[in-house]
């Protein structure tokens, strides 16, 4: 039986009259990598801080590793590694002192683990935290989140501040953790890294979950990206079921399609074109579709 590493039921958080997250419900199975995506201000960080019991939910409930986030938070923190979007520690302490101090919270020395991670991330442990760049502060946070070998990793915009080479090293480390069976939940607005790493994706907008599905379903089974190279000076607009959006720029007609491909081919066969390419859309295009569709639904409801 597969255990649910994260279970969220109707989670809602208000700040006064402002609704930060609204009626969130989703689950993440143990061993999965779950990407929580949306633009800044969508409610990603509020969700994470609520799950970790840094702030209390207004309504709803959630469990991490089978434990209630409010009543069993102390036990949860022994098994969870957390990386915030901005890392703040005691400014006057050296990196090695900070990591030793952090390890004691988990009743572990973790010397070998810390040495391995700091070497791979090229982190100077003899520098004071106040002297570190933003990227190196993020590296300290990564080591701190991983040093006690947690069962669940929760990370908020984890690659912010890391250069491209270090991002590659970081993702290698995460893939190794995944192979060990560690569950990984991370928020991001960089969709390429989500598509590279994740098994499942939740899309959040203005505090509401508007999509929750596997990467495979989002990019393969439901949508197709169609590029049609038309004859010179020809314009084409298809009117068939399944067209989500279409746009012609010059001789190229771009279509986001969700329907019967045979019907699409039949419609194109009646047109005059030079070439046609049908491929999987990027997660960026799927993301924009969901956001634009949600806006259209709201406009319709307001009529």
């Amino acid at each position: 039986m597969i255990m649910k590493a994260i279970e969220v039921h109707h989670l809602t958080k208000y700040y006064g009259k402002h609704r930060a997250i609204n009626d969130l419900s989703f689950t993440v199975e143990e061993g999965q990598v779950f990407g929580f995506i949306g633009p800044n201000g969508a409610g990603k960080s509020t969700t994470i801080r609520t799950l970790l019991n840094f702030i209390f939910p207004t309504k709803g409930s959630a469990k991490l590793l089978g434990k209630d986030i409010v009543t069993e938070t102390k036990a949860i923190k022994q098994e969870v590694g957390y990386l915030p979007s901005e890392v703040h520690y005691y400014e006057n302490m050296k990196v090695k002192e900070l990591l030793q101090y952090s390890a004691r919270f988990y009743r572990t020395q973790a010397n070998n683990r810390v040495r391995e991670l700091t070497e791979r991330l090229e982190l100077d442990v003899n520098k004071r935290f106040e002297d570190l760049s933003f990227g190196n502060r993020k590296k300290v946070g990564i080591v701190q989140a991983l040093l006690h070998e947690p069962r669940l990793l929760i990370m908020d915009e984890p690659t912010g501040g890391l250069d491209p080479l270090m991002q590659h090293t970081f993702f290698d480390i995460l893939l190794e953790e995944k192979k060990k069976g560690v569950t990984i939940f991370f928020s991001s607005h960089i969709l390429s890294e989500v598509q590279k790493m994740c098994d499942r994706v939740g899309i959040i907008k203005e505090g509401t979950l508007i999509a929750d599905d596997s990467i495979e379903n989002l990019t393969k089974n439901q949508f197709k990206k169609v590029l049609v190279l038309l004859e010179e000076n020809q314009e084409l607009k298809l009117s068939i079921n399944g067209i989500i959006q279409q746009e012609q720029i010059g001789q190229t007609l771009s279509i986001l399609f969700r329907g019967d491909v045979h019907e699409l081919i039949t419609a194109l066969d009646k047109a005059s074109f030079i070439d046609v390419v049908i491929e999987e859309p990027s997660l960026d295009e799927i993301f924009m579709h969901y956001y634009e569709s949600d806006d259209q639904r709201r406009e319709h409801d307001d009529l």
Side-chain angles (χ1 to χ4, degrees):
M1 181 177 178
I2 299 176
M3 179 181 174
K4 303 296 184 185
I6 301 175
E7 302 171 77
V8 178
H9 303 287
H10 307 291
L11 201 64
T12 300
K13 176 63 183 178
Y14 279 84
Y15 293 106
K17 294 183 178 180
H18 173 69
R19 184 181 62 198
I21 55 175
N22 179 47
D23 199 35
L24 295 184
S25 294
F26 62 89
T27 62
V28 180
E29 294 180 355
E30 196 165 27
Q32 279 191 333
V33 181
F34 186 90
F36 197 50
I37 62 176
N40 293 332
K44 303 187 301 295
S45 295
T46 298
T47 302
I48 287 174
R49 287 196 287 266
T50 306
L51 290 177
L52 292 169
N53 200 42
F54 297 155
I55 54 178
F56 291 102
T58 305
K59 292 188 293 184
S61 63
K63 290 182 178 181
L64 300 183
L65 301 172
K67 300 177 178 68
D68 184 87
I69 61 169
V70 175
T71 61
E72 299 175 277
T73 183
K74 186 175 180 181
I76 286 172
K77 287 181 172 61
Q78 289 295 315
E79 299 185 281
V80 173
Y82 168 56
L83 175 63
S85 57
E86 295 185 10
V87 179
H88 299 285
Y89 292 116
Y90 297 108
E91 295 284 332
N92 291 325
M93 291 179 72
K94 291 182 178 180
V95 170
K96 61 183 178 182
E97 295 170 339
L98 283 167
L99 296 174
Q100 290 166 358
Y101 176 67
S102 178
R104 289 199 290 271
F105 282 96
Y106 304 103
R107 301 180 181 89
T108 179
Q109 292 295 322
N111 291 335
N112 292 335
R113 178 72 164 160
V114 168
R115 188 180 303 111
E116 175 207 345
L117 291 169
T118 53
E119 287 177 357
R120 292 181 67 177
L121 293 169
E122 301 176 8
L123 178 62
D124 187 346
V125 297
N126 292 306
K127 282 191 174 182
R128 295 188 182 278
F129 190 75
E130 65 183 348
D131 297 327
L132 298 179
S133 66
F134 178 69
N136 281 319
R137 289 181 178 218
K138 182 60 71 76
K139 293 177 188 179
V140 176
I142 293 169
V143 178
Q144 188 277 327
L146 289 166
L147 62 83
H148 59 298
E149 301 191 62
R151 291 173 57 196
L152 170 62
L153 270 173
I154 297 180
M155 301 175 294
D156 194 357
E157 301 286 353
T159 59
L162 299 180
D163 64 52
L165 285 176
M166 200 50 62
Q167 287 181 27
H168 183 76
T169 299
F170 171 65
F171 284 126
D172 283 345
I173 292 171
L174 289 189
L175 287 172
E176 291 165 15
E177 293 302 303
K178 181 183 179 181
K179 288 178 182 177
K180 297 176 187 175
V182 175
T183 307
I184 301 171
F185 177 100
F186 74 90
S187 76
S188 182
H189 63 276
I190 302 174
L191 301 184
S192 59
E193 65 187 31
V194 174
Q195 187 158 3
K196 182 193 307 181
M197 283 295 303
C198 294
D199 303 305
R200 295 187 65 82
V201 168
I203 301 176
I204 187 171
K205 180 179 182 182
E206 296 176 2
T208 299
L209 199 66
I210 60 174
D212 176 8
D213 209 339
S214 68
I215 289 285
E216 183 177 10
N217 283 342
L218 285 173
T219 59
K220 289 185 179 179
N221 297 340
Q222 297 185 35
F223 299 93
K224 297 294 180 186
K225 178 181 178 180
V226 183
L227 297 175
V228 184
L229 181 61
L230 300 170
E231 298 281 359
E232 192 172 355
N233 299 321
Q234 183 182 1
E235 292 187 5
L236 178 63
K237 185 172 183 179
L238 299 179
S239 299
I240 59 172
N241 293 329
I243 291 182
I244 306 298
Q245 60 189 41
Q246 59 181 315
E247 179 184 22
Q248 182 173 340
I249 299 177
Q251 291 177 248
T252 302
L253 175 66
S254 301
I255 302 169
L256 185 61
F257 184 72
R258 183 183 185 181
D260 186 344
V261 175
H262 294 92
E263 187 176 351
L264 174 66
I265 295 299
T266 299
L268 287 174
D269 192 46
K270 298 175 182 177
S272 180
F273 62 88
I274 300 171
D275 196 9
V276 61
V277 176
I278 301 177
E279 58 187 11
E280 298 170 14
S282 68
L283 188 58
D284 300 70
E285 291 163 315
I286 300 299
F287 178 84
M288 290 307 301
H289 159 65
Y290 273 107
Y291 256 62
E292 290 169 358
S293 297
D294 188 65
D295 284 336
Q296 291 166 2
R297 284 195 297 270
R298 292 187 184 203
E299 289 174 4
H300 182 269
D301 290 343
D302 290 340
L303 295 177

